[in-house]
Amino acid sequence: MGVDLRQVVAGILTLTMFVMLGNMIKRDHFDSITEKLPGDVQDVAKVAEEGLRTIAKLSKGPWLEDGEQLKPCWSKTNFDEIEESRGYVTFSLTNGPEYHVSQIADAVVVARVLRATLVVPDIRGSKPGDERLVFMMAPLLSITNTYSAASVSLEFIIVKPKTLGWVSKKFEDVYDVNKFIRSLDGVVKVVKELPEEISFRNLAVVKVPNRVTEDHIIENIQPIFKAKGNIRLATYFPSVNMRKSTEKSNADLVACLAMFGTLELQPDVNEVVDSMVERLRTLSRKSDGRFIAVDLRVDLLDNKGCHEGNGRKSCYGAHEIAVFLRKIGYDKDTTIYLTQSRWDSSLSVLKDIFPKTYTKENITPADKKEKFLDSEDSEFEKVIDFYLCSQSDAFVPAISGLFYANVAGKRIASGKNQILVPADISGSSASATDFISPYVLKKNHMAHSCFC
């Protein structure tokens, strides 16, 4: 077979042209980069990697990075040694974990000021079913600044929780009781049960305002404690008051420790919450495992009435939340968790815009549903909501109230500051940073006074 000389020449010219083109690209592009950037090729690679990280950060849209976990301002070395116990303080946890943290704080402060022994509380839900006897005193003592210990008048009655619509749980059914006792070592003396020789009939029930002060305890509660020897507390919430105190007293530091350093879920409950968080992150692959938790409960929306004030309403429905999230930049692939226990038809409008919208029944492990979702008691469901909203990448409180306030406190303490307060946005879009919670921006939450 003969060789055509023209084909050989054409091949050599083509090869020469590719070599020349390669040299031009190297000289005009890669060499120019090397001249502008100091160091060797590894330095160039490092700068390129940093650039890619910057681009990735800029492309996260409305998602914000977590801040640093805050350092507690309290220390047990701040507290004087415990004096000999003078009696017992008992109380119950009620209405869900958003109330529990406040009730714990008030009870610990009262016990500390009175130098009393604190009894580990039980947990009372809101649905009937438990037949155990509970001793109640009626009426409750309404404490005022003019209270006189001599005016105590109590009628003692014995009722069943079923009569009042209550379900009682042991503290250790939900929380780690050993962690609770250890965390208060050196602050107050804690026992798991009231001694048998002390009758419930001898407990004076006193109403305690949330975030009770040392002065209030000395003036209004101490006289009752001295007269009766043992008391039972009932915390009431006149308003959601999270204003930062101008001065930190010893009692404030005790309250900080009690609110943020005593409660941990017991292992079985914590395992369920962790599995649900992991499930949501798996469903959020297109958003790097990030998800939003929205506190939206249809029953509360129906009963609350969304009143307007300061340009914002007190609650928002599913359609309003969907529009809000879209306008601040969240796309249709965003994963959303709702605190609504069971799916409601009114939520369909949210799912139409964000198909990856879930409630507890969608993501609870199948083998855990009977215990955590299908029981008569809703306490576990409230716990799941509180801790899942505390761990989400963004939190949207569609309903104002104590749940919002205390979830915000837990998030602020852990550096999770993306708390977005809904609003009606007039334009087609807005920045997510314009709707960060005042608790974060104005530092007017108790968490800011408890952490440095």
Side-chain angles (χ1 to χ4, degrees), residues 182-217:
R182 285 196 310 270
S183 64
L184 292 173
D185 182 38
V187 181
V188 293
K189 184 179 179 181
V190 183
V191 295
K192 290 186 177 181
E193 295 180 349
L194 196 66
E196 293 182 359
E197 63 270 18
I198 298 179
S199 171
F200 279 96
R201 294 177 179 273
N202 294 326
L203 297 180
V205 179
V206 294
K207 293 179 67 177
V208 180
N210 180 223
R211 299 190 68 180
V212 63
T213 64
E214 188 170 355
D215 289 341
H216 182 94
I217 296 169

Side-chain angles (χ1 to χ4, degrees), residues 125-363:
S126 58
K127 293 183 179 181
D130 198 325
E131 294 287 350
R132 283 182 291 169
L133 289 176
V134 174
F135 292 82
M136 292 296 297
M137 280 60 73
L140 294 177
L141 290 177
S142 296
I143 307 302
T144 65
N145 290 331
T146 58
Y147 173 81
S148 171
S151 65
V152 176
S153 177
L154 293 174
E155 175 187 357
F156 298 95
I157 59 174
I158 303 176
V159 298
K160 290 184 178 182
K162 201 164 187 176
T163 307
L164 298 176
W166 285 346
V167 174
S168 294
K169 285 185 180 298
K170 292 182 178 180
F171 183 88
E172 53 266 35
D173 290 338
V174 177
Y175 298 110
D176 187 332
V177 66
N178 293 322
K179 155 70 177 178
F180 177 73
I181 295 174
R182 285 196 310 270
S183 64
L184 292 173
D185 182 38
V187 181
V188 293
K189 184 179 179 181
V190 183
V191 295
K192 290 186 177 181
E193 295 180 349
L194 196 66
E196 293 182 359
E197 63 270 18
I198 298 179
S199 171
F200 279 96
R201 294 177 179 273
N202 294 326
L203 297 180
V205 179
V206 294
K207 293 179 67 177
V208 180
N210 180 223
R211 299 190 68 180
V212 63
T213 64
E214 188 170 355
D215 289 341
H216 182 94
I217 296 169
I218 293 172
E219 293 174 10
N220 302 300
I221 301 177
Q222 193 171 62
I224 305 172
F225 182 70
K226 287 183 176 180
K228 300 296 294 184
N230 306 290
I231 59 175
R232 182 172 182 81
L233 306 180
T235 297
Y236 68 95
F237 297 80
S239 65
V240 179
N241 181 8
M242 292 293 181
R243 290 177 299 174
K244 183 178 179 180
S245 302
T246 55
E247 296 182 2
K248 293 180 185 177
S249 66
N250 197 309
D252 291 330
L253 295 177
V254 171
C256 288
L257 166 62
M259 178 171 277
F260 294 103
T262 60
L263 289 182
E264 285 186 5
L265 297 178
Q266 59 103 323
D268 289 343
V269 180
N270 192 59
E271 181 182 350
V272 172
V273 173
D274 285 347
S275 69
M276 294 174 73
V277 170
E278 186 60 33
R279 174 65 175 154
L280 288 166
R281 297 207 183 284
T282 301
L283 293 167
S284 308
R285 287 190 295 268
K286 290 187 177 181
S287 54
D288 295 330
R290 296 181 177 87
F291 69 93
I292 302 172
V294 180
D295 179 29
L296 195 160
R297 289 163 280 172
V298 174
D299 56 335
L300 290 185
L301 290 175
D302 291 340
N303 297 328
K304 192 177 182 71
C306 300
H307 306 293
E308 294 194 19
N310 298 323
R312 285 180 174 167
K313 297 189 295 185
S314 60
C315 54
Y316 290 82
H319 179 262
E320 294 167 308
I321 292 297
V323 172
F324 169 72
L325 292 175
R326 285 295 283 144
K327 286 189 174 183
I328 62 175
Y330 289 100
D331 62 36
K332 65 181 182 61
D333 290 319
T334 302
T335 299
I336 297 175
Y337 171 78
L338 301 177
T339 55
Q340 171 71 20
S341 293
R342 303 293 186 274
W343 190 259
D344 187 87
S345 59
S346 65
L347 304 174
S348 297
V349 64
L350 179 57
K351 196 172 183 67
D352 289 342
I353 299 175
F354 296 98
K356 295 182 178 180
T357 297
Y358 305 97
T359 59
K360 282 179 283 295
E361 59 186 345
N362 304 124
I363 60 173

Side-chain angles (χ1 to χ4, degrees), residues 96-106 258-259 263 386-387 406:
E98 68 269 32
Y99 287 84
H100 295 175
V101 291
S102 298
Q103 291 162 344
I104 288 285
D106 293 330
M259 178 171 277
L263 289 182
F386 185 80
Y387 283 86
N406 280 346

Side-chain angles (χ1 to χ4, degrees), residues 22-60:
N23 287 332
M24 290 173 61
I25 292 173
K26 178 180 182 298
R27 182 177 65 252
D28 295 340
H29 184 65
F30 294 107
D31 289 352
S32 64
I33 292 178
T34 306
E35 291 171 3
K36 291 177 183 178
L37 298 175
D40 56 17
V41 176
Q42 291 182 345
D43 293 326
V44 175
K46 182 178 180 181
V47 173
E49 184 181 352
E50 291 176 354
L52 289 173
R53 284 202 300 266
T54 301
I55 292 172
K57 186 174 182 179
L58 293 174
S59 66
K60 290 177 181 176

